[in-house]
Amino acid sequence: MKPTSYIFLVVAIIISCIGLIICQTAKKKAEAEGIEIFSQTLDENNNSVYTFPFGEGEIYDKINLTLGDADVNIVGGYTEPYIEIVNFREGSYMMTTSNRIISIDTTIDIMSILMFWESGYTFNGFRNYVHRFNEDEKVNAKQVNIYLPADTTVHSINIKIDSGDVSVTNLNADVDLIVDINRGDAEFSSFTTSSGVTASIDVGNVYLYETTLNSFDATIYTTGDVTTRAFTFNRMNVVGKNTSVNIDATKELFLYDINLSAVNGKVSVDGEEKGGTYYYDSYDTTGLSVTVTTSGGDITMTKSDYIPPEDIGTDTDAESDTESSTDTEGAGE
């Protein structure tokens, strides 16, 4: 190494040390004066949280999440939309917003950082990289939380996770979800959309509780079950390897074209054993269908005793609404 290189190296080390001292001094001064200088904050459970609120007038159509080991929680019922990135250090992920798309990637490598001018990576200050540098951090689970209102402009969410769970709850919005999980579960509860859910899972389960969808497509590549309760849907297609499927449908079963095949298991429809396969062609013209194929596991399909608060648009629903309205008027008289 040339003498000039040694000089530059020593200078760089000195500047870095000075930078660390300045950052720590500024941090203490900011804390004393109640000034927030970091993009991340600590909550009551010692979680490091970065909050991204959708600005007024900002319209986003799609959210793309590419995560390593992390959970994703999508929650409805909020007045204003925002995203929380929890327990990810600044600089360990990229977040970009362009073409009405929000993208978060926690699987970045050194080349992604070096090519920040192409990937959208932004430098938010040296202080964020040394934040809590000398403190004992509690190792908490990494999460990305998305909070949405019913009138959200986001109509598509694409989630890819290496290891972690996906939860969607209390959401009534026109959102199409694509979930790709290597190891983990996907759970949907109190979720209503006129679009659909597509789930691809290597090892893990899918749960749908009191959920209303237009379409549901699931593939379990290695092992995992699909369990539903009070499930309202127009079309369902499931392919599983070592997979048991329980369908608790709110609509009458005779309305569906049904194709159920349990290669090494048994099929049960409305409490009746059907052997390993069951086919039924409905005379209904609405195009409702159920197709399930598993190479290991049982398939159960039953009519649910749960009455959904709102269906996804059929003539039958309109008639029932009219009848209930008439009954209410009669009771009032």
Side-chain angles (χ1 to χ4, degrees):
M1 185 179 292
K2 295 181 180 180
T4 308
S5 301
Y6 283 111
I7 294 174
F8 279 114
L9 180 61
V10 171
V11 172
I13 293 174
I14 293 173
I15 292 175
S16 297
C17 291
I18 293 173
L20 287 172
I21 295 172
I22 292 174
C23 285
Q24 292 300 321
T25 303
K27 176 186 174 183
K28 292 179 181 179
K29 185 176 178 62
E31 288 176 349
E33 298 180 7
I35 300 173
E36 182 59 59
I37 63 173
F38 298 108
S39 60
Q40 296 170 311
T41 59
L42 293 179
D43 65 12
E44 64 276 8
N45 297 316
N46 202 34
N47 292 305
S48 178
V49 181
Y50 169 72
T51 302
F52 173 77
F54 294 19
E56 185 176 353
E58 292 180 341
I59 297 176
Y60 296 105
D61 297 324
K62 186 176 183 180
I63 298 176
N64 292 327
L65 304 180
T66 304
L67 311 178
D69 298 341
D71 296 333
V72 174
N73 301 296
I74 303 173
V75 186
Y78 284 76
T79 304
E80 300 294 336
Y82 66 98
I83 296 175
E84 290 179 339
I85 302 176
V86 183
N87 294 323
F88 284 96
R89 274 191 173 274
E90 180 75 28
S92 67
Y93 64 90
M94 290 189 299
M95 180 174 182
T96 61
T97 56
S98 62
N99 299 322
R100 301 172 68 163
I101 299 174
I102 300 174
S103 298
I104 300 174
D105 188 346
T106 69
T107 63
I108 60 174
D109 53 23
I110 187 63
M111 290 304 298
S112 299
I113 296 176
L114 293 176
M115 299 292 289
F116 67 90
W117 57 87
E118 293 181 4
S119 63
Y121 175 82
T122 56
F123 178 75
N124 293 324
F126 185 62
R127 65 186 182 279
N128 289 294
Y129 292 85
V130 298
H131 184 27
R132 302 168 71 197
F133 184 77
N134 293 319
E135 298 179 21
D136 294 329
E137 290 191 60
K138 180 181 178 182
V139 180
N140 288 355
K142 294 180 173 64
Q143 300 177 351
V144 175
N145 303 321
I146 303 173
Y147 302 92
L148 298 174
D151 60 349
T152 178
T153 62
V154 176
H155 296 304
S156 177
I157 301 177
N158 194 329
I159 302 169
K160 185 174 183 179
I161 299 177
D162 183 46
S163 179
D165 299 331
V166 173
S167 171
V168 181
T169 185
N170 195 36
L171 180 62
N172 186 345
D174 184 17
V175 178
D176 191 66
L177 285 170
I178 300 176
V179 177
D180 187 341
I181 304 174
N182 186 28
R183 288 181 177 272
D185 298 336
E187 181 173 327
F188 307 88
S189 61
S190 299
F191 173 39
T192 299
T193 177
S194 60
S195 296
V197 168
T198 300
S200 300
I201 298 178
D202 185 27
V203 177
N205 306 298
V206 181
Y207 304 97
L208 301 111
Y209 301 143
E210 297 182 17
T211 293
T212 299
L213 307 174
N214 180 42
S215 62
F216 172 65
D217 296 271
T219 303
I220 310 295
Y221 292 101
T222 301
T223 184
D225 299 333
V226 176
T227 304
T228 73
R229 184 180 68 235
F231 186 30
T232 306
F233 63 96
N234 290 336
R235 184 184 62 81
M236 179 175 183
N237 185 16
V238 176
V239 177
K241 191 173 183 182
N242 297 302
T243 304
S244 290
V245 179
N246 185 310
I247 307 169
D248 184 51
T250 60
K251 293 185 177 181
E252 297 293 343
L253 302 191
F254 65 80
L255 297 175
Y256 290 95
D257 290 332
I258 302 174
N259 186 343
L260 308 178
S261 177
V263 177
N264 295 303
K266 58 185 179 181
V267 175
S268 174
V269 178
D270 236 359
E272 296 184 9
E273 299 291 337
K274 302 294 184 181
T277 59
Y278 176 74
Y279 303 95
Y280 173 77
D281 290 329
S282 173
Y283 293 102
D284 190 74
T285 59
T286 54
L288 307 182
S289 66
V290 177
T291 303
V292 180
T293 302
T294 66
S295 58
D298 300 332
I299 303 172
T300 303
M301 186 172 182
T302 57
K303 170 66 173 67
S304 178
D305 57 4
Y306 173 84
I307 301 175
E310 184 178 339
D311 212 329
I312 46 184
T314 63
D315 294 338
T316 305
D317 302 328
E319 292 174 3
S320 61
D321 290 341
T322 304
E323 290 174 2
S324 61
S325 176
T326 304
D327 293 340
T328 304
E329 293 174 1
E333 294 174 358

